[in-house]
Amino acid sequence: MLKEDCLGCRLANHLTETYVIYENDLLTCILDIAPIHEGHILILPKHHVQDLDELDQATALAIMIASAELSRALKACYQPDGITIMQNGGSFNDLGHYHMHVFPRFDADGFGWVEPVHEIDLHDRLDATHMDLKEALQRIRVVQK
């Protein structure tokens, strides 16, 4: 469903001018207006979805297929040293509409992952984390049935 006051919905459904790179029935892929590198693309579902866990299976599959095709196009066009694909959810989703970033990367380009400093050694918690997540996944699967 389209949400009229959502910029992501407006972009994905051609209600706001943008640069469309790829499109199908479920999604629209556009150039980011504040690119990290030339060729920075956003993949947007046409229906309103805010977070990854809200995507239906068909849209999620379409996003993954598009990300691979766009990666091939970026490699052919820019000959990057790599491709970064990322998605921010919750309060880190500055658009309020699900979107996946796909952009070329180059050695020493300055873009990087900054890991937070932890007060505790999370490596020591791997056994507990493993069990917590397996149990949570099992509970979610039971609820979905």
Side-chain angles (χ1 to χ4, degrees):
M1 170 187 285
L2 175 70
K3 187 175 173 190
E4 288 290 331
D5 63 340
C6 172
L7 178 59
C9 284
R10 297 182 59 75
L11 291 167
N13 291 282
H14 307 280
L15 301 174
T16 299
E17 189 174 333
T18 190
Y19 297 93
V20 176
I21 301 299
Y22 173 90
E23 183 173 22
N24 63 30
D25 292 342
L26 298 172
L27 51 91
T28 303
C29 304
I30 65 172
L31 289 179
D32 192 311
I33 62 167
I36 290 173
H37 288 298
E38 187 172 8
H40 183 158
I41 300 167
L42 300 179
I43 301 174
L44 300 153
K46 290 186 177 182
H47 62 280
H48 184 73
V49 176
Q50 184 165 339
D51 281 318
L52 174 68
D53 58 333
E54 299 170 13
L55 289 172
D56 61 85
Q57 194 170 34
T59 304
L61 179 59
I63 289 167
M64 290 310 298
I65 291 168
S67 69
E69 192 166 338
L70 294 168
S71 292
R72 287 189 286 277
L74 290 169
K75 288 176 181 178
C77 193
Y78 300 106
Q79 296 81 47
D81 297 310
I83 301 291
T84 289
I85 296 174
M86 63 183 213
Q87 187 275 321
N88 298 307
S91 64
F92 301 100
N93 179 345
D94 59 353
L95 188 56
H97 184 100
Y98 176 90
H99 59 289
M100 178 185 280
H101 297 262
V102 182
F103 55 93
R105 293 289 310 283
F106 302 90
D107 290 338
D109 63 10
F111 185 83
W113 181 294
V114 178
E115 295 187 24
V117 177
H118 296 286
E119 297 296 321
I120 59 171
D121 183 1
L122 294 179
H123 182 269
D124 291 343
R125 291 207 26 86
L126 288 176
D127 287 335
T129 302
H130 175 248
M131 291 306 299
D132 290 346
L133 288 172
K134 285 181 69 166
E135 289 171 8
L137 188 56
Q138 186 175 15
R139 283 192 309 271
I140 290 166
R141 287 181 175 158
V142 168
V143 170
Q144 290 176 342
K145 288 182 180 183

